[in-house]
Amino acid sequence: MTQMTLAFHIGVPSKQPVAIPTYCQPAAAAVARRFHRGLAGYQPTPLYDLPGLAKLAGVSRVLVKDEAERFQLNAFKVLGASYAVARLLALRLGVEASNLNLEKLAAAAQAQQKRLTFVTATDGNHGRAVAWAAQQLGQQAVIYLPQGAAQSRIEAIAGHGAEAVVIDANYDAAVRFAAEQTEQNGWLLVQDTAWDGYEAIPAWIMQGYTTLAQEAWEQMQMLAVQPTHVFLQAGVGSLAASQLGFWQTLSDLDSPPVFVVMEPSNAACFYLSAQRGNSQAYAVTGELQTIMAGLSCGEPNPLAWPLLRDYATAFVSCPDYVAAYGMRILGNPWLGGPRVTAGESGAVGAGLVALLAEPRYAAWRQQLRLDENSVVLLINTEGATDPENYHNVVWRGHHPLP
Ligand SMILES: Cc1ncc(COP(=O)(O)O)c(C=O)c1O
C-alpha cells in the first residue's frame, strides 16, 4: 500500500521498552569518536542555527547538523563504513581492536600482503563510503547499486577506485545479491542493515554513526541548549536507531527528546509497521520510487525496528514534495541563517518542520508537543549528491507543494 499524502502515526509508548544496545550508547560513541578523530582530515561537521525556519515553525530553535561537509564525501555514511571496515580488517589481520588507526591498519595489511575485497549494496552514499574506506586501507571494493541509481553517485564510487555495478532490481534485492556474491567469491560484506546471523557488522556501522550525535551534543552544550525534538529520516533505520539510542541514554539531558521518524511515502516500512501495531516489522516491496534515494529501502533493519517501535513518538510518511520543500528552505536562508545545501534525503526534516506550522497540522503539532520552547535537531544527512535533481528542485521548482 502506498500513501501519497503526508501521513502521521503517533506511536503507542511501550510499557516495557527494549533495552538500548550498548553500541548506540554514549560510551560506545566515545570509542567511535576516538577512531574518527584519528582519520586524516577529521573535523566535527557544523551545527547550524536556523532562525528563519525556527520563526516559521514557531519553535525556539531549529539546529541542523550538516553532514554534507563530512570528510568532503557529501554524506554522513563514512562514519559507519570507515569504522566497520577498520574493525573487520583488524579482525582479519589479527590486530587489537582498541585504538584502531587507519594508517597503522593499512601498514599491517601491506606487511601481511593482505588484499581483501569489501562489498556492499547501496543507493550511493554508503557505497561511496565503503569504497573510500577500502581505498584508504589499500584494499579493494565492489559496490552494487539498484536500478535507476544516479550517474553522479556511480561516478563518485568509481572515483574511489571501486567497481560499481548497477543491478536490475531495487535496493533490498541489491542487498541480497551483494550477500550472495560475497559468499561465492570469499569477499567481505559491509552492509548497513542486519539479518539473522549478520548483526556484528551493521552494529559497528551504527556505532560509527553515533559520532555524529556526540559532536552535536558538544556543539549544543556550547549553545547552552538541549534537544527537545530529534527528527530522524529512515531508510533501513540504522541511522535513526543509532541516534535515538544515543540521545535516549544520554544521562546529561533533563529528559529524553521526542523522536520523529520520517520516511518517503513509497518506502514507509517503519510507518506501516508502527501503524499495524505488530511487534514484527513489516516490509514494503516494489520499485520504492522516490527522490529520497537514500531512504528508498523497503525492509527495516531488525536491529533498528525494536528501538524505533518502543521509543519514537511519531512515524511520518512523507511525499517527495516534503523533501523538495526542505531543499528549497535550507538552500535559501532567511533572517540571517546560513545557507545549507541539502540533498533529497537530507532535507526532509526541514520540509516537515516547516509544514507542521500550517494550521491544518495543528493537532499533530500538539501531539508532538512542538511549541515556542522546543529545540529541534535535524540532520542534513547529505549534500547535493544528485546535482541534476538538486537543480531541478531548487531552481526549476520540481515537486512543488500541493
Ligand atoms: C543521505 C542519506 N540519509 C539517510 C539515510 C538513511 O540511513 P539508514 O538507511 O540507516 O536509515 C541514508 C541511507 O543510505 C542516506 O544515504
Side-chain angles (χ1 to χ4, degrees):
M1 189 183 76
T2 57
Q3 282 273 8
M4 292 314 284
T5 52
L6 184 62
F8 254 65
H9 175 78
I10 298 290
V12 183
S14 169
K15 291 204 177 70
Q16 281 184 310
V18 290
I20 307 271
T22 50
Y23 55 78
C24 300
Q25 295 191 18
V31 174
R33 178 83 180 281
R34 195 175 335 123
F35 166 75
H36 290 130
R37 274 188 206 280
L39 299 181
Y42 168 78
Q43 272 187 359
T45 55
L47 181 75
Y48 291 127
D49 204 345
L50 306 178
L53 183 53
K55 187 172 166 58
L56 175 81
V59 297
S60 170
R61 301 287 266 271
V62 176
L63 301 168
V64 60
K65 183 83 175 137
D66 190 7
E67 290 298 305
E69 303 193 25
R70 185 67 71 186
F71 288 109
Q72 299 179 332
L73 287 171
N74 231 355
F76 75 100
K77 283 278 174 176
V78 69
L79 292 175
S82 60
Y83 187 63
V85 167
R87 292 282 306 248
L88 202 49
L89 186 62
L91 204 63
R92 280 301 173 103
L93 296 173
V95 170
E96 177 59 45
S98 58
N99 288 324
L100 277 189
N101 173 288
L102 223 56
E103 277 166 31
K104 284 188 191 150
L105 272 177
Q110 203 175 20
Q112 292 189 27
Q113 297 188 330
K114 274 265 188 325
R115 197 150 161 82
L116 303 168
T117 300
F118 293 90
V119 185
T120 199
T122 179
D123 61 86
N125 292 322
H126 173 65
R128 181 175 185 190
V130 170
W132 180 86
Q135 189 180 44
Q136 300 285 313
L137 289 161
Q139 307 298 310
Q140 303 180 128
V142 178
I143 312 295
Y144 295 101
L145 298 105
Q147 63 201 0
Q151 193 55 32
S152 53
R153 295 190 176 120
I154 299 168
E155 283 165 15
I157 290 167
H160 295 296
E163 190 184 339
V165 184
V166 181
I167 70 158
D168 190 19
N170 72 13
Y171 168 82
D172 303 293
V175 171
R176 275 187 280 279
F177 189 70
E180 281 159 24
Q181 292 299 307
T182 300
E183 184 74 28
Q184 278 171 28
N185 294 294
W187 294 337
L188 296 169
L189 186 67
V190 189
Q191 200 55 59
D192 52 356
T193 191
W195 52 86
D196 255 0
Y198 186 79
E199 281 111 1
I201 293 166
W204 287 333
I205 291 176
M206 291 168 72
Q207 183 179 352
Y209 294 162
T210 57
T211 283
L212 187 172
Q214 201 196 50
E215 288 176 2
W217 173 229
E218 283 172 13
Q219 290 162 323
M220 289 180 128
Q221 284 174 291
M222 305 282 281
L223 300 171
V225 293
Q226 297 192 359
T228 60
H229 293 74
V230 182
F231 281 63
L232 296 164
Q233 53 274 68
V236 295
S238 301
L239 171 72
S242 69
Q243 305 303 295
L244 183 150
F246 177 90
W247 293 109
Q248 183 71 32
T249 52
L250 183 65
S251 55
D252 303 341
L253 292 187
D254 297 339
S255 57
V258 168
F259 299 105
V260 180
V261 178
M262 308 168 291
E263 294 170 283
S265 299
N266 278 344
C269 48
F270 290 104
Y271 166 81
L272 290 169
S273 300
Q275 206 183 37
R276 286 176 176 225
N278 299 335
S279 65
Q280 289 306 309
Y282 168 77
V284 178
T285 54
E287 276 188 34
L288 315 175
Q289 188 53 47
T290 168
I291 60 169
M292 292 170 258
L295 312 183
S296 176
C297 312
E299 296 179 23
N301 176 355
L303 299 181
W305 164 240
L307 299 184
L308 302 184
R309 178 194 65 203
D310 289 356
Y311 293 96
T313 296
F315 297 84
V316 193
S317 164
C318 302
D320 282 349
Y321 66 74
V322 182
Y325 188 35
M327 290 163 77
R328 289 190 287 272
I329 289 172
L330 292 173
N332 295 280
W334 177 46
L335 301 182
R339 174 169 183 269
V340 179
T341 303
E344 300 79 0
S345 301
V348 63
L352 180 60
V353 166
L355 280 169
L356 283 171
E358 296 188 1
R360 62 188 156 144
Y361 299 125
W364 291 345
R365 206 182 139 82
Q366 207 173 18
Q367 282 172 301
L368 292 178
R369 302 192 299 281
L370 206 54
D371 60 27
E372 66 283 1
N373 299 315
S374 302
V375 176
V376 174
L377 175 63
L378 306 176
I379 307 170
N380 174 30
T381 51
E382 67 175 346
T385 53
D386 181 352
E388 195 183 326
N389 197 51
Y390 186 84
H391 286 121
N392 281 339
V393 168
V394 176
W395 285 14
R396 300 197 182 104
H398 286 201
H399 306 283
L401 290 179

PDB file of all heavy atoms in Angstrom, residues 35 44 210 214 232 239 250 276 310-311 330 367 384 389:
ATOM      1  N   PHE A  35      38.224   6.824  17.174  1.00  0.00           N
ATOM      2  CA  PHE A  35      38.672   6.288  15.880  1.00  0.00           C
ATOM      3  C   PHE A  35      38.568   7.377  14.794  1.00  0.00           C
ATOM      4  O   PHE A  35      39.505   7.599  14.033  1.00  0.00           O
ATOM      5  CB  PHE A  35      37.833   5.073  15.502  1.00  0.00           C
ATOM      6  CG  PHE A  35      37.983   4.658  14.070  1.00  0.00           C
ATOM      7  CD1 PHE A  35      39.135   3.991  13.646  1.00  0.00           C
ATOM      8  CD2 PHE A  35      37.012   4.971  13.114  1.00  0.00           C
ATOM      9  CE1 PHE A  35      39.297   3.629  12.307  1.00  0.00           C
ATOM     10  CE2 PHE A  35      37.171   4.616  11.786  1.00  0.00           C
ATOM     11  CZ  PHE A  35      38.316   3.940  11.385  1.00  0.00           C
ATOM     12  N   PRO A  44      34.706  17.946  13.287  1.00  0.00           N
ATOM     13  CA  PRO A  44      33.258  17.836  13.501  1.00  0.00           C
ATOM     14  C   PRO A  44      32.542  18.625  12.402  1.00  0.00           C
ATOM     15  O   PRO A  44      33.020  19.685  11.995  1.00  0.00           O
ATOM     16  CB  PRO A  44      33.038  18.507  14.854  1.00  0.00           C
ATOM     17  CG  PRO A  44      34.383  18.516  15.507  1.00  0.00           C
ATOM     18  CD  PRO A  44      35.396  18.583  14.412  1.00  0.00           C
ATOM     19  N   THR A 210      27.199   7.125  15.749  1.00  0.00           N
ATOM     20  CA  THR A 210      26.962   7.864  16.996  1.00  0.00           C
ATOM     21  C   THR A 210      27.947   9.026  17.178  1.00  0.00           C
ATOM     22  O   THR A 210      27.680   9.929  17.967  1.00  0.00           O
ATOM     23  CB  THR A 210      27.045   6.941  18.233  1.00  0.00           C
ATOM     24  OG1 THR A 210      28.322   6.311  18.234  1.00  0.00           O
ATOM     25  CG2 THR A 210      25.942   5.890  18.227  1.00  0.00           C
ATOM     26  N   GLN A 214      27.326  12.565  19.169  1.00  0.00           N
ATOM     27  CA  GLN A 214      28.224  13.071  20.209  1.00  0.00           C
ATOM     28  C   GLN A 214      28.725  14.471  19.869  1.00  0.00           C
ATOM     29  O   GLN A 214      28.761  15.354  20.724  1.00  0.00           O
ATOM     30  CB  GLN A 214      29.401  12.114  20.410  1.00  0.00           C
ATOM     31  CG  GLN A 214      30.048  12.304  21.757  1.00  0.00           C
ATOM     32  CD  GLN A 214      31.407  11.671  21.859  1.00  0.00           C
ATOM     33  OE1 GLN A 214      32.269  11.873  21.012  1.00  0.00           O
ATOM     34  NE2 GLN A 214      31.596  10.906  22.906  1.00  0.00           N
ATOM     35  N   LEU A 232      14.331  12.298  12.651  1.00  0.00           N
ATOM     36  CA  LEU A 232      15.268  11.326  12.097  1.00  0.00           C
ATOM     37  C   LEU A 232      14.710  10.703  10.823  1.00  0.00           C
ATOM     38  O   LEU A 232      13.643  10.063  10.848  1.00  0.00           O
ATOM     39  CB  LEU A 232      15.489  10.217  13.133  1.00  0.00           C
ATOM     40  CG  LEU A 232      16.162  10.683  14.438  1.00  0.00           C
ATOM     41  CD1 LEU A 232      15.984   9.637  15.527  1.00  0.00           C
ATOM     42  CD2 LEU A 232      17.642  10.965  14.195  1.00  0.00           C
ATOM     43  N   LEU A 239      20.619   4.650  10.919  1.00  0.00           N
ATOM     44  CA  LEU A 239      20.952   5.998  11.394  1.00  0.00           C
ATOM     45  C   LEU A 239      19.981   6.407  12.503  1.00  0.00           C
ATOM     46  O   LEU A 239      20.401   6.832  13.595  1.00  0.00           O
ATOM     47  CB  LEU A 239      20.870   7.007  10.245  1.00  0.00           C
ATOM     48  CG  LEU A 239      21.000   8.460  10.713  1.00  0.00           C
ATOM     49  CD1 LEU A 239      22.423   8.768  11.143  1.00  0.00           C
ATOM     50  CD2 LEU A 239      20.535   9.443   9.648  1.00  0.00           C
ATOM     51  N   LEU A 250      21.533   9.339  27.044  1.00  0.00           N
ATOM     52  CA  LEU A 250      22.460  10.399  27.465  1.00  0.00           C
ATOM     53  C   LEU A 250      21.976  10.942  28.809  1.00  0.00           C
ATOM     54  O   LEU A 250      20.980  11.664  28.873  1.00  0.00           O
ATOM     55  CB  LEU A 250      22.494  11.501  26.400  1.00  0.00           C
ATOM     56  CG  LEU A 250      23.469  12.642  26.641  1.00  0.00           C
ATOM     57  CD1 LEU A 250      24.913  12.147  26.610  1.00  0.00           C
ATOM     58  CD2 LEU A 250      23.273  13.734  25.597  1.00  0.00           C
ATOM     59  N   ARG A 276       0.541  -0.873  11.907  1.00  0.00           N
ATOM     60  CA  ARG A 276      -0.052  -2.212  12.065  1.00  0.00           C
ATOM     61  C   ARG A 276      -0.027  -2.686  13.508  1.00  0.00           C
ATOM     62  O   ARG A 276      -0.745  -3.613  13.873  1.00  0.00           O
ATOM     63  CB  ARG A 276       0.720  -3.211  11.199  1.00  0.00           C
ATOM     64  CG  ARG A 276       0.362  -2.995   9.764  1.00  0.00           C
ATOM     65  CD  ARG A 276       1.131  -3.859   8.821  1.00  0.00           C
ATOM     66  NE  ARG A 276       0.599  -3.584   7.494  1.00  0.00           N
ATOM     67  CZ  ARG A 276       0.305  -4.489   6.593  1.00  0.00           C
ATOM     68  NH1 ARG A 276       0.515  -5.756   6.847  1.00  0.00           N
ATOM     69  NH2 ARG A 276      -0.191  -4.152   5.434  1.00  0.00           N
ATOM     70  N   ASP A 310       9.650   1.176  20.119  1.00  0.00           N
ATOM     71  CA  ASP A 310       9.400   1.383  21.545  1.00  0.00           C
ATOM     72  C   ASP A 310       9.682   2.805  22.033  1.00  0.00           C
ATOM     73  O   ASP A 310       9.211   3.186  23.101  1.00  0.00           O
ATOM     74  CB  ASP A 310      10.241   0.405  22.374  1.00  0.00           C
ATOM     75  CG  ASP A 310       9.723  -1.025  22.243  1.00  0.00           C
ATOM     76  OD1 ASP A 310       8.689  -1.222  21.574  1.00  0.00           O
ATOM     77  OD2 ASP A 310      10.354  -1.935  22.804  1.00  0.00           O
ATOM     78  N   TYR A 311      10.471   3.576  21.268  1.00  0.00           N
ATOM     79  CA  TYR A 311      10.856   4.889  21.788  1.00  0.00           C
ATOM     80  C   TYR A 311      10.414   6.074  20.925  1.00  0.00           C
ATOM     81  O   TYR A 311      10.408   7.202  21.419  1.00  0.00           O
ATOM     82  CB  TYR A 311      12.377   4.974  21.972  1.00  0.00           C
ATOM     83  CG  TYR A 311      12.910   4.060  23.045  1.00  0.00           C
ATOM     84  CD1 TYR A 311      13.423   2.805  22.733  1.00  0.00           C
ATOM     85  CD2 TYR A 311      12.891   4.447  24.388  1.00  0.00           C
ATOM     86  CE1 TYR A 311      13.914   1.957  23.716  1.00  0.00           C
ATOM     87  CE2 TYR A 311      13.389   3.604  25.377  1.00  0.00           C
ATOM     88  CZ  TYR A 311      13.899   2.358  25.037  1.00  0.00           C
ATOM     89  OH  TYR A 311      14.384   1.524  26.023  1.00  0.00           O
ATOM     90  N   LEU A 330      16.322  25.112   3.029  1.00  0.00           N
ATOM     91  CA  LEU A 330      17.713  25.093   3.523  1.00  0.00           C
ATOM     92  C   LEU A 330      18.656  25.848   2.585  1.00  0.00           C
ATOM     93  O   LEU A 330      19.634  26.443   3.029  1.00  0.00           O
ATOM     94  CB  LEU A 330      18.180  23.646   3.720  1.00  0.00           C
ATOM     95  CG  LEU A 330      17.475  22.891   4.857  1.00  0.00           C
ATOM     96  CD1 LEU A 330      17.875  21.424   4.874  1.00  0.00           C
ATOM     97  CD2 LEU A 330      17.788  23.533   6.214  1.00  0.00           C
ATOM     98  N   GLN A 367       0.320  16.924  19.384  1.00  0.00           N
ATOM     99  CA  GLN A 367       0.692  15.583  19.844  1.00  0.00           C
ATOM    100  C   GLN A 367       2.210  15.431  19.989  1.00  0.00           C
ATOM    101  O   GLN A 367       2.687  14.658  20.811  1.00  0.00           O
ATOM    102  CB  GLN A 367       0.145  14.529  18.885  1.00  0.00           C
ATOM    103  CG  GLN A 367      -1.340  14.289  19.098  1.00  0.00           C
ATOM    104  CD  GLN A 367      -1.931  13.402  18.028  1.00  0.00           C
ATOM    105  OE1 GLN A 367      -1.872  13.724  16.839  1.00  0.00           O
ATOM    106  NE2 GLN A 367      -2.496  12.296  18.435  1.00  0.00           N
ATOM    107  N   ALA A 384      24.286  17.870  -2.126  1.00  0.00           N
ATOM    108  CA  ALA A 384      23.640  17.659  -3.429  1.00  0.00           C
ATOM    109  C   ALA A 384      24.319  16.483  -4.130  1.00  0.00           C
ATOM    110  O   ALA A 384      25.122  16.662  -5.052  1.00  0.00           O
ATOM    111  CB  ALA A 384      23.721  18.922  -4.263  1.00  0.00           C
ATOM    112  N   ASN A 389      19.151  16.604 -10.078  1.00  0.00           N
ATOM    113  CA  ASN A 389      17.867  16.706  -9.358  1.00  0.00           C
ATOM    114  C   ASN A 389      17.864  17.912  -8.421  1.00  0.00           C
ATOM    115  O   ASN A 389      16.829  18.554  -8.240  1.00  0.00           O
ATOM    116  CB  ASN A 389      17.568  15.419  -8.579  1.00  0.00           C
ATOM    117  CG  ASN A 389      16.104  15.332  -8.186  1.00  0.00           C
ATOM    118  OD1 ASN A 389      15.216  15.503  -9.026  1.00  0.00           O
ATOM    119  ND2 ASN A 389      15.839  15.151  -6.910  1.00  0.00           N
TER     120      ASN A 389
END
